[in-house]
Amino acid sequence: MDIIYIIFLFFTFVAGESRNLKFASYSLIPQGLLIVLSLMIVGYVNNLSHFYVIAAVDLLVRVFLMPAALIILLRVRLQKEEKPAIIHPLSIALSIVLLSVGYKFIDTIKIMNFPNILSFFTAGATAFIYGMFLFLSKRDMVKMIISFFIIENGIHLILLSMLPKVGKAVEFGLTINFIVAVIFFIYITLRYNLLSVMEFINKIKKES
Amino acid sequence: MNFETFVFYLNFAAPLLIGALIFLLRGSLKLSAALSILSVSMAIFSTYKIWQKISEEGLKYLQPNKLFYIDGFSILMQFMIEFVTIFVIFFSLKEISKLYNHRKNQSHTYFSILMLSLGFMNLAFSFDSLFFFYIALELSSISAVYLISFNLDKNSLRAGFIYLLMVNVGILFSLLGIVLINYNTATEVTISNISQSITFLNKNIALLCASLFIIGFFTKAGLMPFHLWLPQAYAEAPTAITVFLAGAVTKIGFYGLGRTVTVFAFNMEEVKILVLLMSSLSVFLGAFLAFNQKDIKKLIAYCSISEMGFIASALILNSYAGKFGGVFHLFNHTLMKGALFFSAGALIYLHGSRKIEEIKAFKPKASAIMISFFIGALAVGGMPPFSSFLSSLTIIFALVEEKFIGLAFILALSGFISLLALLRSVISIFWLKEDNLAANTNVSLPKILIICALFFALTLIALGIYPEFLHSLFHKATLAIININH
């Protein structure tokens, strides 16, 4: 399983650090697929049939709906990321610091005897911390949404590590929340981008 | 299902179902507003019936089934947001017709989402499970985004985006807190069992959970340093929605604080100190930043942040007086913001601008609005005979009693600074006028706008003179918070 989480984190960083927004959006697809894959494996190994249902919902939401929504947003704007509040080299340095803090935190959790869930938890916590960092450092609206998706994926993984104790109704409720949030994100950002384009066209018309 | 259960479900089902119906009917502005009023009236009726049952039978709480848990605190919150919503609907009727005429064809969506947001909030106040509370809370927050961005200009869309992103990410922290408690206690954490649950937690994990809840609910309530969404959202939203945000949406953050963080604070002094430090930051900086604002709604928004710091610092205290003061001030905050924002909304209606300099450029012709604004400003300063005087005094005494004298001083000072910031605007808008200013005769102020502003202002006076009127409700709400702490 560990290899799945390493690949998951690799795509998380690609989505976060890539300046090409289309590429960053596509990077969310393998990220979602890996969540689905890990769910299927855990469901199969532990004989938990409702994990398959959650995996199916995740496939729909995280692999198709989410990236598709981002691609729609990119139709009416430039695909290059707006200059972030914190530039790249510093961004990478800060990510490392944050991840080290995260790793320290995981050590504390280890002492608290979290048995076989650690991989889920570690990957989830790292994605959460990295997503938070991205959220604080980015200025581009699409990149901020990507950071929200990464945070949400991180939380999702943490929650999955505890799913047998939480109950599936909670998981479905949270997925519905996520879908509604995505719909509102698309609505607002699309409207905003359209207004920006209109303003730009009007400006050019006036100048000519 | 018997009548009693039916009435209980009406509380959130009526706004949710009628909200959906309004959207499907796609009716006119008036029809949508009428249906909205009908659904809020049903919700008020339901809340009243639940209150009647709890108070007449002397119950500590009502638990119709495992999913729900209703006590005095839930009922106070429900009553508060339902009454605010009624006035929001009336104000919206006129506001949409004039200032948002270009969006009039979407008024059904506006009222539908307003009702859905109310329904989800009522649902959040009714759930026992913290997970379900979180789900309802997030749905109510998300739906408010449409209302903030209703104008669909760049500024309102940006404000909506920041609100959506910040509140969503912020409350994910509280979800993480719930998950951590859940995992460590191996039981589903609920409002009724949270005090027992946290006794099983290791101290470091408990502190971590408390910090996560604080980040989550402080963001939702718009307290510093997680307040960045608030001034912009308050300023860019239609005024009716600003009142809804200040009087209802942010209150759910305090409900979360009252249900979770107070329990941690009861058991760990560190949590109490952390919340007191953070709320004193809100109290002082909110008042300080209010001074420089040129936008009338942003000015009130920063005063609101300061006032909310007052509430958080009171709710976290362990004494009855502290919690009672917090609950009372929570209610007064809704009244103060109602009076101030509705008055500001009426001025914007008259002059078409939020800029204080531009409003000043016209002769004032709304003496009733001047009165309600003036009352709201004095109430923010905690002046007698307004009800906020009683709640502020209770909070300050409670802080002194628990030896937080410095904080009590900061609170009193900040109240005074907020008062000065607001009075400066009131005086410059209504009194310091040159004789040759033109009167804005093109627009007359609809009576309903004046009634909305005056209702909140007069309630501040009435409750200040006769606080016994709502004492039993505040008392039950205070006891409800104390009960879950033990």
mmCIF file of all heavy atoms in Angstrom, chain B residues 197-227:
data_model
loop_
_atom_site.group_PDB
_atom_site.id
_atom_site.type_symbol
_atom_site.label_atom_id
_atom_site.label_comp_id
_atom_site.label_asym_id
_atom_site.label_seq_id
_atom_site.Cartn_x
_atom_site.Cartn_y
_atom_site.Cartn_z
ATOM 1 N N SER B 197 -16.434 11.961 26.506
ATOM 2 C CA SER B 197 -15.469 11.532 25.491
ATOM 3 C C SER B 197 -14.097 12.143 25.730
ATOM 4 O O SER B 197 -13.080 11.454 25.621
ATOM 5 C CB SER B 197 -15.941 11.934 24.092
ATOM 6 O OG SER B 197 -17.156 11.317 23.823
ATOM 7 N N ILE B 198 -14.061 13.435 26.051
ATOM 8 C CA ILE B 198 -12.729 14.069 26.120
ATOM 9 C C ILE B 198 -11.950 13.653 27.373
ATOM 10 O O ILE B 198 -10.742 13.855 27.432
ATOM 11 C CB ILE B 198 -12.775 15.605 25.965
ATOM 12 C CG1 ILE B 198 -13.517 16.259 27.121
ATOM 13 C CG2 ILE B 198 -13.345 16.025 24.654
ATOM 14 C CD1 ILE B 198 -13.230 17.750 27.180
ATOM 15 N N THR B 199 -12.621 13.053 28.338
ATOM 16 C CA THR B 199 -11.873 12.578 29.513
ATOM 17 C C THR B 199 -10.977 11.380 29.147
ATOM 18 O O THR B 199 -10.024 11.084 29.853
ATOM 19 C CB THR B 199 -12.822 12.167 30.658
ATOM 20 O OG1 THR B 199 -13.757 11.233 30.135
ATOM 21 C CG2 THR B 199 -13.551 13.347 31.248
ATOM 22 N N PHE B 200 -11.312 10.696 28.021
ATOM 23 C CA PHE B 200 -10.487 9.559 27.583
ATOM 24 C C PHE B 200 -9.272 10.004 26.766
ATOM 25 O O PHE B 200 -8.426 9.207 26.413
ATOM 26 C CB PHE B 200 -11.316 8.593 26.729
ATOM 27 C CG PHE B 200 -12.440 7.947 27.483
ATOM 28 C CD1 PHE B 200 -13.761 8.252 27.216
ATOM 29 C CD2 PHE B 200 -12.163 7.023 28.487
ATOM 30 C CE1 PHE B 200 -14.791 7.665 27.921
ATOM 31 C CE2 PHE B 200 -13.197 6.425 29.197
ATOM 32 C CZ PHE B 200 -14.508 6.738 28.921
ATOM 33 N N LEU B 201 -9.230 11.286 26.428
ATOM 34 C CA LEU B 201 -8.159 11.751 25.530
ATOM 35 C C LEU B 201 -6.884 12.061 26.301
ATOM 36 O O LEU B 201 -6.929 12.578 27.419
ATOM 37 C CB LEU B 201 -8.599 13.021 24.785
ATOM 38 C CG LEU B 201 -9.767 12.933 23.824
ATOM 39 C CD1 LEU B 201 -10.037 14.308 23.223
ATOM 40 C CD2 LEU B 201 -9.471 11.951 22.706
ATOM 41 N N ASN B 202 -5.762 11.743 25.638
ATOM 42 C CA ASN B 202 -4.471 12.178 26.145
ATOM 43 C C ASN B 202 -4.445 13.712 26.085
ATOM 44 O O ASN B 202 -5.046 14.296 25.189
ATOM 45 C CB ASN B 202 -3.425 11.554 25.209
ATOM 46 C CG ASN B 202 -2.076 12.177 25.323
ATOM 47 O OD1 ASN B 202 -1.872 13.301 24.873
ATOM 48 N ND2 ASN B 202 -1.164 11.440 25.895
ATOM 49 N N LYS B 203 -3.746 14.365 27.019
ATOM 50 C CA LYS B 203 -3.828 15.823 27.097
ATOM 51 C C LYS B 203 -3.390 16.521 25.804
ATOM 52 O O LYS B 203 -4.031 17.490 25.374
ATOM 53 C CB LYS B 203 -2.995 16.338 28.271
ATOM 54 C CG LYS B 203 -3.381 17.758 28.615
ATOM 55 C CD LYS B 203 -2.648 18.313 29.773
ATOM 56 C CE LYS B 203 -3.087 19.767 29.959
ATOM 57 N NZ LYS B 203 -2.287 20.468 30.913
ATOM 58 N N ASN B 204 -2.302 15.993 25.184
ATOM 59 C CA ASN B 204 -1.817 16.635 23.951
ATOM 60 C C ASN B 204 -2.836 16.528 22.825
ATOM 61 O O ASN B 204 -3.061 17.475 22.081
ATOM 62 C CB ASN B 204 -0.499 15.999 23.492
ATOM 63 C CG ASN B 204 0.634 16.420 24.390
ATOM 64 O OD1 ASN B 204 0.537 17.452 25.069
ATOM 65 N ND2 ASN B 204 1.686 15.627 24.449
ATOM 66 N N ILE B 205 -3.427 15.353 22.728
ATOM 67 C CA ILE B 205 -4.446 15.156 21.678
ATOM 68 C C ILE B 205 -5.652 16.053 21.969
ATOM 69 O O ILE B 205 -6.215 16.662 21.051
ATOM 70 C CB ILE B 205 -4.876 13.669 21.607
ATOM 71 C CG1 ILE B 205 -3.696 12.785 21.188
ATOM 72 C CG2 ILE B 205 -6.058 13.454 20.672
ATOM 73 C CD1 ILE B 205 -3.294 12.889 19.730
ATOM 74 N N ALA B 206 -6.016 16.149 23.253
ATOM 75 C CA ALA B 206 -7.152 17.000 23.618
ATOM 76 C C ALA B 206 -6.866 18.458 23.255
ATOM 77 O O ALA B 206 -7.739 19.160 22.715
ATOM 78 C CB ALA B 206 -7.440 16.875 25.104
ATOM 79 N N LEU B 207 -5.637 18.896 23.511
ATOM 80 C CA LEU B 207 -5.269 20.279 23.169
ATOM 81 C C LEU B 207 -5.301 20.487 21.657
ATOM 82 O O LEU B 207 -5.754 21.528 21.180
ATOM 83 C CB LEU B 207 -3.871 20.600 23.701
ATOM 84 C CG LEU B 207 -3.791 21.008 25.175
ATOM 85 C CD1 LEU B 207 -2.344 21.176 25.600
ATOM 86 C CD2 LEU B 207 -4.550 22.313 25.416
ATOM 87 N N LEU B 208 -4.819 19.469 20.937
ATOM 88 C CA LEU B 208 -4.825 19.540 19.472
ATOM 89 C C LEU B 208 -6.267 19.648 18.957
ATOM 90 O O LEU B 208 -6.577 20.487 18.102
ATOM 91 C CB LEU B 208 -4.135 18.298 18.893
ATOM 92 C CG LEU B 208 -4.035 18.212 17.384
ATOM 93 C CD1 LEU B 208 -3.103 19.283 16.840
ATOM 94 C CD2 LEU B 208 -3.545 16.834 16.945
ATOM 95 N N CYS B 209 -7.135 18.808 19.522
ATOM 96 C CA CYS B 209 -8.555 18.832 19.102
ATOM 97 C C CYS B 209 -9.168 20.201 19.395
ATOM 98 O O CYS B 209 -9.875 20.768 18.558
ATOM 99 C CB CYS B 209 -9.361 17.766 19.841
ATOM 100 S SG CYS B 209 -8.952 16.120 19.351
ATOM 101 N N ALA B 210 -8.904 20.721 20.597
ATOM 102 C CA ALA B 210 -9.470 22.025 20.977
ATOM 103 C C ALA B 210 -8.985 23.101 20.007
ATOM 104 O O ALA B 210 -9.778 23.945 19.559
ATOM 105 C CB ALA B 210 -9.074 22.368 22.403
ATOM 106 N N SER B 211 -7.679 23.047 19.656
ATOM 107 C CA SER B 211 -7.138 24.057 18.727
ATOM 108 C C SER B 211 -7.816 23.954 17.364
ATOM 109 O O SER B 211 -8.130 24.972 16.738
ATOM 110 C CB SER B 211 -5.635 23.872 18.532
ATOM 111 O OG SER B 211 -5.007 23.741 19.759
ATOM 112 N N LEU B 212 -8.059 22.709 16.920
ATOM 113 C CA LEU B 212 -8.712 22.529 15.619
ATOM 114 C C LEU B 212 -10.136 23.097 15.646
ATOM 115 O O LEU B 212 -10.573 23.764 14.704
ATOM 116 C CB LEU B 212 -8.738 21.040 15.245
ATOM 117 C CG LEU B 212 -7.374 20.408 14.948
ATOM 118 C CD1 LEU B 212 -7.482 18.886 14.864
ATOM 119 C CD2 LEU B 212 -6.802 20.947 13.650
ATOM 120 N N PHE B 213 -10.851 22.850 16.753
ATOM 121 C CA PHE B 213 -12.211 23.404 16.884
ATOM 122 C C PHE B 213 -12.165 24.930 16.919
ATOM 123 O O PHE B 213 -13.015 25.601 16.325
ATOM 124 C CB PHE B 213 -12.882 22.894 18.163
ATOM 125 C CG PHE B 213 -13.409 21.494 18.033
ATOM 126 C CD1 PHE B 213 -13.067 20.516 18.956
ATOM 127 C CD2 PHE B 213 -14.264 21.140 17.002
ATOM 128 C CE1 PHE B 213 -13.553 19.223 18.850
ATOM 129 C CE2 PHE B 213 -14.759 19.848 16.882
ATOM 130 C CZ PHE B 213 -14.397 18.890 17.808
ATOM 131 N N ILE B 214 -11.177 25.460 17.623
ATOM 132 C CA ILE B 214 -11.081 26.925 17.720
ATOM 133 C C ILE B 214 -10.863 27.525 16.324
ATOM 134 O O ILE B 214 -11.557 28.471 15.935
ATOM 135 C CB ILE B 214 -9.942 27.338 18.687
ATOM 136 C CG1 ILE B 214 -10.319 26.967 20.118
ATOM 137 C CG2 ILE B 214 -9.670 28.840 18.602
ATOM 138 C CD1 ILE B 214 -9.195 27.101 21.122
ATOM 139 N N ILE B 215 -9.937 26.939 15.563
ATOM 140 C CA ILE B 215 -9.684 27.470 14.204
ATOM 141 C C ILE B 215 -10.968 27.396 13.380
ATOM 142 O O ILE B 215 -11.379 28.361 12.735
ATOM 143 C CB ILE B 215 -8.547 26.689 13.496
ATOM 144 C CG1 ILE B 215 -7.229 26.869 14.241
ATOM 145 C CG2 ILE B 215 -8.393 27.136 12.041
ATOM 146 C CD1 ILE B 215 -6.090 26.009 13.727
ATOM 147 N N GLY B 216 -11.614 26.240 13.424
ATOM 148 C CA GLY B 216 -12.827 26.030 12.621
ATOM 149 C C GLY B 216 -13.934 27.007 12.980
ATOM 150 O O GLY B 216 -14.456 27.710 12.111
ATOM 151 N N PHE B 217 -14.262 27.086 14.254
ATOM 152 C CA PHE B 217 -15.423 27.903 14.635
ATOM 153 C C PHE B 217 -15.099 29.395 14.688
ATOM 154 O O PHE B 217 -15.987 30.222 14.490
ATOM 155 C CB PHE B 217 -16.018 27.402 15.950
ATOM 156 C CG PHE B 217 -16.594 26.019 15.811
ATOM 157 C CD1 PHE B 217 -16.215 24.985 16.648
ATOM 158 C CD2 PHE B 217 -17.504 25.735 14.805
ATOM 159 C CE1 PHE B 217 -16.733 23.706 16.505
ATOM 160 C CE2 PHE B 217 -18.026 24.459 14.644
ATOM 161 C CZ PHE B 217 -17.643 23.446 15.488
ATOM 162 N N PHE B 218 -13.836 29.739 14.928
ATOM 163 C CA PHE B 218 -13.456 31.153 14.847
ATOM 164 C C PHE B 218 -13.571 31.635 13.402
ATOM 165 O O PHE B 218 -13.974 32.761 13.153
ATOM 166 C CB PHE B 218 -12.024 31.363 15.366
ATOM 167 C CG PHE B 218 -11.963 31.785 16.818
ATOM 168 C CD1 PHE B 218 -12.652 31.081 17.798
ATOM 169 C CD2 PHE B 218 -11.225 32.885 17.211
ATOM 170 C CE1 PHE B 218 -12.598 31.467 19.126
ATOM 171 C CE2 PHE B 218 -11.163 33.291 18.544
ATOM 172 C CZ PHE B 218 -11.848 32.574 19.498
ATOM 173 N N THR B 219 -13.197 30.761 12.460
ATOM 174 C CA THR B 219 -13.312 31.148 11.046
ATOM 175 C C THR B 219 -14.778 31.349 10.687
ATOM 176 O O THR B 219 -15.156 32.313 10.034
ATOM 177 C CB THR B 219 -12.709 30.069 10.114
ATOM 178 O OG1 THR B 219 -11.429 29.727 10.609
ATOM 179 C CG2 THR B 219 -12.596 30.546 8.695
ATOM 180 N N LYS B 220 -15.605 30.432 11.137
ATOM 181 C CA LYS B 220 -17.035 30.511 10.822
ATOM 182 C C LYS B 220 -17.660 31.768 11.443
ATOM 183 O O LYS B 220 -18.491 32.431 10.830
ATOM 184 C CB LYS B 220 -17.720 29.239 11.347
ATOM 185 C CG LYS B 220 -19.194 29.157 11.112
ATOM 186 C CD LYS B 220 -19.528 28.964 9.655
ATOM 187 C CE LYS B 220 -21.006 29.197 9.438
ATOM 188 N NZ LYS B 220 -21.341 29.539 8.085
ATOM 189 N N ALA B 221 -17.233 32.074 12.675
ATOM 190 C CA ALA B 221 -17.806 33.247 13.343
ATOM 191 C C ALA B 221 -17.195 34.551 12.826
ATOM 192 O O ALA B 221 -17.732 35.622 13.076
ATOM 193 C CB ALA B 221 -17.596 33.131 14.850
ATOM 194 N N GLY B 222 -16.055 34.439 12.116
ATOM 195 C CA GLY B 222 -15.404 35.643 11.586
ATOM 196 C C GLY B 222 -14.565 36.363 12.623
ATOM 197 O O GLY B 222 -14.436 37.586 12.587
ATOM 198 N N LEU B 223 -13.988 35.603 13.551
ATOM 199 C CA LEU B 223 -13.145 36.218 14.572
ATOM 200 C C LEU B 223 -11.690 36.269 14.109
ATOM 201 O O LEU B 223 -11.257 35.442 13.313
ATOM 202 C CB LEU B 223 -13.251 35.411 15.873
ATOM 203 C CG LEU B 223 -14.562 35.619 16.632
ATOM 204 C CD1 LEU B 223 -14.844 34.446 17.538
ATOM 205 C CD2 LEU B 223 -14.519 36.887 17.441
ATOM 206 N N MET B 224 -10.947 37.217 14.645
ATOM 207 C CA MET B 224 -9.541 37.365 14.252
ATOM 208 C C MET B 224 -8.705 36.222 14.806
ATOM 209 O O MET B 224 -8.989 35.774 15.909
ATOM 210 C CB MET B 224 -9.011 38.697 14.757
ATOM 211 C CG MET B 224 -9.488 39.824 13.896
ATOM 212 S SD MET B 224 -8.730 41.346 14.394
ATOM 213 C CE MET B 224 -9.523 42.473 13.267
ATOM 214 N N PRO B 225 -7.685 35.760 14.131
ATOM 215 C CA PRO B 225 -7.145 36.222 12.848
ATOM 216 C C PRO B 225 -7.750 35.500 11.637
ATOM 217 O O PRO B 225 -7.113 35.443 10.592
ATOM 218 C CB PRO B 225 -5.664 35.885 13.000
ATOM 219 C CG PRO B 225 -5.643 34.646 13.841
ATOM 220 C CD PRO B 225 -6.836 34.713 14.734
ATOM 221 N N PHE B 226 -8.927 34.947 11.780
ATOM 222 C CA PHE B 226 -9.535 34.202 10.654
ATOM 223 C C PHE B 226 -10.726 34.980 10.067
ATOM 224 O O PHE B 226 -11.676 34.404 9.583
ATOM 225 C CB PHE B 226 -10.009 32.821 11.133
ATOM 226 C CG PHE B 226 -8.987 32.088 11.951
ATOM 227 C CD1 PHE B 226 -9.113 31.987 13.326
ATOM 228 C CD2 PHE B 226 -7.879 31.532 11.354
ATOM 229 C CE1 PHE B 226 -8.162 31.333 14.096
ATOM 230 C CE2 PHE B 226 -6.918 30.876 12.101
ATOM 231 C CZ PHE B 226 -7.054 30.778 13.476
ATOM 232 N N HIS B 227 -10.638 36.294 10.158
ATOM 233 C CA HIS B 227 -11.787 37.145 9.834
ATOM 234 C C HIS B 227 -11.780 37.659 8.401
ATOM 235 O O HIS B 227 -12.709 38.365 8.022
ATOM 236 C CB HIS B 227 -11.746 38.361 10.764
ATOM 237 C CG HIS B 227 -10.582 39.244 10.460
ATOM 238 N ND1 HIS B 227 -9.292 38.880 10.744
ATOM 239 C CD2 HIS B 227 -10.512 40.447 9.817
ATOM 240 C CE1 HIS B 227 -8.471 39.822 10.328
ATOM 241 N NE2 HIS B 227 -9.178 40.778 9.761
#
